[in-house]
Amino acid sequence: MTLDMCGGLFRRKLLRPARPMPAGLFVRLAACVAVAEMLVYAAQKVYMAVRGETGMPGHPAPAAVQAQFAPAGLAQAGNAALGVLAALVALASVTRWGARIPRWALCCALALALVMLSLGAVATIGRTDFAWDRLGRGGVLGCVREGAQFGAWLVVTVSYGLRTRPHRDRPATGAGR
């Protein structure tokens, strides 16, 4: 195989658009939930950047962590930008303009976002005190939001992977012979 043939194979296989099947109503709703949650996350990070603190509203990071991020506003602005980027990735999985992105790139971005959101959900659920006398509305609401966000991203990621997989011709079975 010559170098020119390898280059052509690379262009055909890896850089080809996904051309997914249209997403159903349930998948579009899950994508809307994922986009909305990521935009809320970005807004929260912008709020914390304006305040010059790290963490989330209502849960600022401890002083030792605050000291690690000397320009806290810059770190939080970067996190807000990642939230907006993740919202665009979720939106690209169900829109027509997202079909121009190579399948492998969007699958990797969706999988990475799903892993990062699962880590965030574990952190949120881990810091929630589930004792009946201290269980507040905020803790329960945070756990429900994280669970809904993780579920929405799981639906979006799995749906995109299934809708865009290449169709392979199945060999004829021997039943008719």
Side-chain angles (χ1 to χ4, degrees):
M1 186 179 276
T2 66
L3 189 58
D4 193 35
M5 291 172 64
C6 288
L9 181 66
F10 178 77
R11 281 190 304 276
R12 278 193 310 275
K13 294 294 182 183
L14 292 180
L15 298 180
R16 128 179 118 209
R19 296 195 204 323
M21 294 181 343
L25 180 63
F26 181 70
V27 175
R28 288 182 185 270
L29 180 64
C32 287
V33 168
V35 168
E37 283 290 334
M38 291 305 349
L39 293 179
V40 167
Y41 171 80
Q44 290 174 337
K45 289 300 181 177
V46 166
Y47 172 76
M48 293 301 281
V50 169
R51 290 185 60 173
E53 295 178 342
T54 58
M56 294 298 281
H59 300 286
V65 175
Q66 297 279 354
Q68 290 177 348
F69 298 99
L74 186 63
Q76 294 290 55
N79 287 338
L82 285 175
V84 171
L85 183 64
L88 288 174
V89 165
L91 194 59
S93 70
V94 293
T95 57
R96 188 173 286 168
W97 61 267
R100 296 180 182 157
I101 301 172
R103 179 184 187 271
W104 67 270
L106 201 51
C107 279
C108 289
L110 285 168
L112 180 63
L114 182 65
V115 167
M116 299 313 280
L117 288 167
S118 66
L119 293 175
V122 166
T124 299
I125 293 170
R127 82 169 164 239
T128 302
D129 188 8
F130 288 105
W132 284 109
D133 56 341
R134 292 183 297 256
L135 188 62
R137 184 179 60 160
V140 172
L141 184 61
C143 289
V144 168
R145 277 188 56 214
E146 289 291 330
Q149 184 178 19
F150 176 73
W153 275 91
L154 185 64
V155 167
V156 168
T157 303
V158 170
S159 169
Y160 183 79
L162 292 176
R163 286 183 295 121
T164 61
R165 69 179 167 203
H167 297 286
R168 293 194 171 97
D169 293 331
R170 294 183 180 166
T173 59
R177 292 184 198 174

